[in-house]
């Protein structure tokens, strides 16, 4: 067993509202698992070579709880519409291209390269309905060392002919064949991915729920993002009390295994209470919610109610892969919500935004998002010297500037579960 000791400035969440700020401390890890952070190196580790990172800041890897890999190819285009028109006009035509493996290889290659260069270590990612294209995406992520969940998307209704599975039966057979082919991956794991209620028949949803029951795999989808979408779901599922209840009645809302729902901008108290009860995670996607004019999710309410939550890029409702950017967007959006909509809901603090992008979302992947003993060693080493003014800043102030100002080039090294993803030459 090889023990690694790092010296540097460590920042990680204590809880949603508080940071651990450890100046010139020690991180000890073995076999990809943290043994903890120490201000003095314990006697048992004396004599081990110490890797000294000088004045760099080391934070846990960031977690993206919701992204669409195929949409990277259309990021920052088509931001002039709301969700349903945007899907039909821009998104579905682009996603249909991933039937072509040459295209998929080129486009997914660009996305995975961007993700690799970013501070993200874990992600929950949608592919498309195409089995082979999705497997290719998984191979690229696996090679890059990024960990997390990838889903072959299911859609068998209310979708254009060129991007619709022929029947629930065929969709389920194809999903099972995809799951069989996923055995070869060790870093990425499949996740069941009904696109959203409007694009999946009850038969398909029930079949996916059965697969979840058999396999214990998690589920990802979309929930209460946009008013038109919510009204449509109400029409499609008149017997359901709310959108979340529609998933729940079909067995896909945490009753059979883990579930993460993106957006949850307009969830009612009853829907939020069901999320809490079922342990459903919210993927808060502030940039996408602004771009598609969906609204601003009541993040403070979710925090107060104790609903599990992390941040999502929602590439390409969002145009940035950066979860640092998602943190600053979350803070900014919460300020507008507070000022314009509800002065009872205080804006997010830096501590809370950082928590959501690390430990909050990390919980969906296991013991991820912290340096506490027992957590997987996901770490990003940041040289923020480029961002420092002539006067001295506290570690908290430096973190805040990293969130708002840092770029990929400031990341010196990145580790996922103890594996080095890259090391950037200095200078
Ligand atoms: N709802 C269903 N599909 C999508 C998608 O691709 N992006 C977003 N933002 N919402 C969706
Ligand atoms: Fe999405």
């Amino acid at each position: 067993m090889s023990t690694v000791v790092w010296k540097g400035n460590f920042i990680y969440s204590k809880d949603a509202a508080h940071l651990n700020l450890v100046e010139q401390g020690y991180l000890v890890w073995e076999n990809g698992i943290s043994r903890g952070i120490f201000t003095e190196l314990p006697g048992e580790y004396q004599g081990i070579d110490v890797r000294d990172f000088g004045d760099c800041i080391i934070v846990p890897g960031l977690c993206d709880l919701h992204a669409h890999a195929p949409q990277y190819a259309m990021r920052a285009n088509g931001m002039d519409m709301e969700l349903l028109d945007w899907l039909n006009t821009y998104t579905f035509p682009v996603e249909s291209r991933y039937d072509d493996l040459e295209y998929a290889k080129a486009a997914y290659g660009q996305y995975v390269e961007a993700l690799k260069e970013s501070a993200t270590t874990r992600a929950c990612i949608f592919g498309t309905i195409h089995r082979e294209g999705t497997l290719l995406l998984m191979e690229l992520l696996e090679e890059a060392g990024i960990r997390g969940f990838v889903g072959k998307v299911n859609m068998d209704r209310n979708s254009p002919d060129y991007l619709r599975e022929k029947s629930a039966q065929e969709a389920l057979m194809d999903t099972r064949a995809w799951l069989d082919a996923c055995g070869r991956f060790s870093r990425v794991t499949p996740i069941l991915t009904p696109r959203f209620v409007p694009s999946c028949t009850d038969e398909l949803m029930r079949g996916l729920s059965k697969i979840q029951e058999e396999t214990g795999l998690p589920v990802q989808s979309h929930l209460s993002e946009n008013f038109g979408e919510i009204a449509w779901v109400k029409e499609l599922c008149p017997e359901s009390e709310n959108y979340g209840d529609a998933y729940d009645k079909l067995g896909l809302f945490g009753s059979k295994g883990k579930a993460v729902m993106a957006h949850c901008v307009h969830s009612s108290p009853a829907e939020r209470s069901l999320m809490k009860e079922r342990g459903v995670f919210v993927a808060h996607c502030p940039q996408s919610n602004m771009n598609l004019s969906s609204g601003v999710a009541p993040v403070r309410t979710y925090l107060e109610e104790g609903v599990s939550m992390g941040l999502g890029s929602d590439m390409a409702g969002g145009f940035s892969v950066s979860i640092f950017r998602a943190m600053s967007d979350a803070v900014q959006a919460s300020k507008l919500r507070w000022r314009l909509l509800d002065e009872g809901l205080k804006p997010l603090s830096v501590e809370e935004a950082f928590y959501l992008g690390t430990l909050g979302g990390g919980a969906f992947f296991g013991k991820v998002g912290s340096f506490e003993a027992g957590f997987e060693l996901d770490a990003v080493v940041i040289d923020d010297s480029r961002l420092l003014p002539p006067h001295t800043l506290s570690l908290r102030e430096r973190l805040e500037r990293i969130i708002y100002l840092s770029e990929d080039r400031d990341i010196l090294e990145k580790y996922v579960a103890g594996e080095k993803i890259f090391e950037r030459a200095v200078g």
Side-chain angles (χ1 to χ4, degrees):
M1 184 159 60
S2 67
T3 305
V4 181
V5 181
W6 287 353
K7 185 165 188 267
N9 300 312
F10 298 95
I11 304 178
Y12 59 106
S13 291
K14 198 177 283 179
D15 53 43
H18 302 94
L19 293 170
N20 285 305
L21 300 154
V22 184
E23 215 159 325
Q24 291 303 306
Y26 299 88
L27 167 63
V28 180
W29 58 274
E30 286 164 348
N31 296 329
I33 306 289
S34 172
R35 293 279 168 243
I37 295 269
F38 306 93
T39 44
E40 302 282 335
L41 194 60
E44 61 186 300
Y45 303 120
Q46 299 284 347
I48 296 171
D49 277 351
V50 175
R51 174 88 196 275
D52 191 341
F53 284 99
D55 197 34
C56 285
I57 288 187
I58 306 174
V59 296
L62 309 188
C63 299
D64 187 345
L65 264 195
H66 183 71
H68 298 261
Q71 296 175 20
Y72 186 73
M74 53 170 275
R75 71 195 184 288
N77 285 142
M79 312 254 78
D80 52 345
M81 287 182 174
E82 289 189 46
L83 176 67
L84 300 175
D85 288 337
W86 173 77
L87 287 173
N88 285 313
T89 311
Y90 296 105
T91 315
F92 292 159
V94 168
E95 287 196 16
S96 73
R97 291 183 179 276
Y98 291 76
D99 198 19
D100 170 357
L101 286 179
E102 281 301 306
Y103 182 85
K105 192 171 175 194
Y108 281 148
Q110 290 175 348
Y111 173 68
V112 172
E113 186 59 24
L115 201 59
K116 182 177 172 177
E117 293 291 310
S118 79
T120 299
T121 53
R122 309 265 170 167
C124 234
I125 303 174
F126 279 55
T128 60
I129 62 169
H130 312 101
R131 183 187 354 149
E132 290 304 326
T134 303
L135 287 168
L136 184 62
L137 168 63
M138 294 172 89
E139 256 160 46
L140 294 171
L141 288 160
E142 178 94 3
E143 272 168 33
I146 303 294
R147 298 201 179 212
F149 299 110
V150 179
K152 184 201 103 62
V153 174
N154 287 120
M155 38 204 296
D156 71 336
R157 70 171 177 185
N158 296 322
S159 313
D161 283 346
Y162 61 81
L163 192 72
R164 190 180 63 236
E165 294 170 296
K166 300 286 165 286
S167 68
Q169 279 311 316
E170 268 190 44
L172 291 165
M173 268 168 44
D174 202 32
T175 299
R176 286 184 185 274
W178 164 65
L179 291 175
D180 286 342
C182 288
R184 62 183 193 256
F185 303 118
S186 60
R187 299 185 183 96
V188 290
T189 332
I191 182 167
L192 301 168
T193 307
R195 183 173 207 118
F196 65 160
V197 166
S199 56
C200 298
T201 59
D202 287 6
E203 186 186 353
L204 175 53
M205 294 287 218
R206 287 208 181 87
L208 291 173
S209 172
K210 185 153 174 283
I211 295 176
Q212 183 173 41
E213 205 163 10
E214 287 166 19
T215 59
L217 292 174
V219 169
Q220 62 181 354
S221 197
H222 296 90
L223 179 65
S224 298
E225 175 177 2
N226 160 288
F227 290 127
E229 170 214 23
I230 294 167
W232 194 13
V233 171
K234 206 168 177 168
E235 239 172 68
L236 291 167
C237 311
E239 73 293 346
S240 293
E241 279 165 38
N242 53 58
Y243 193 161
D245 184 49
Y247 286 112
D248 198 48
K249 282 194 165 49
L250 298 163
L252 286 168
F253 209 57
S255 59
K256 306 276 179 5
K258 280 199 297 195
V260 57
M261 293 286 154
H263 304 287
C264 311
V265 178
H266 305 290
S267 297
S268 64
E271 186 167 280
R272 296 198 306 268
S273 150
L274 193 60
M275 274 186 255
K276 168 98 198 273
E277 199 177 309
R278 299 274 191 268
V280 172
F281 277 69
V282 171
H284 175 45
C285 306
Q287 192 179 81
S288 169
N289 295 340
M290 290 188 271
N291 289 337
L292 298 179
S293 311
S294 302
V296 184
V299 182
R300 168 76 48 217
T301 305
Y302 287 114
L303 283 172
E304 283 173 0
E305 292 178 352
V307 177
S308 299
M309 183 170 40
L311 295 177
S313 63
D314 193 29
M315 177 61 55
F319 52 77
S320 170
V321 296
S322 169
I323 295 300
F324 281 137
R325 174 71 194 252
M327 290 177 193
S328 62
D329 286 337
V331 171
Q332 289 185 309
S334 73
K335 288 177 181 168
L336 287 178
R337 194 180 202 289
W338 173 63
R339 182 57 72 213
L340 301 175
L341 213 63
D342 186 349
E343 296 211 334
L345 295 179
K346 271 194 321 184
L348 288 186
S349 64
V350 166
E351 282 81 357
E352 288 163 334
F354 183 75
Y355 163 84
L356 291 175
T358 55
L359 188 55
F364 192 73
F365 302 92
K367 293 205 84 168
V368 168
S370 168
F371 293 137
E372 292 288 353
F375 275 75
E376 294 194 59
L377 199 280
D378 286 15
V380 181
V381 180
I382 299 164
D383 175 1
D384 64 338
S385 52
R386 195 178 63 81
L387 310 175
L388 294 177
H391 64 275
T392 305
L393 296 183
S394 67
L395 279 189
R396 185 190 179 281
E397 286 168 327
R398 285 171 65 184
L399 175 68
E400 196 172 10
R401 288 169 75 98
I402 286 170
I403 289 171
Y404 281 85
L405 302 175
S406 72
E407 295 174 11
D408 290 349
R409 63 183 160 133
D410 303 314
I411 302 172
L412 284 192
E413 295 184 21
K414 169 163 146 177
Y415 294 79
V416 184
E419 293 181 330
K420 191 190 280 186
I421 303 304
F422 68 75
E423 180 171 345
R424 208 180 299 282
V426 182

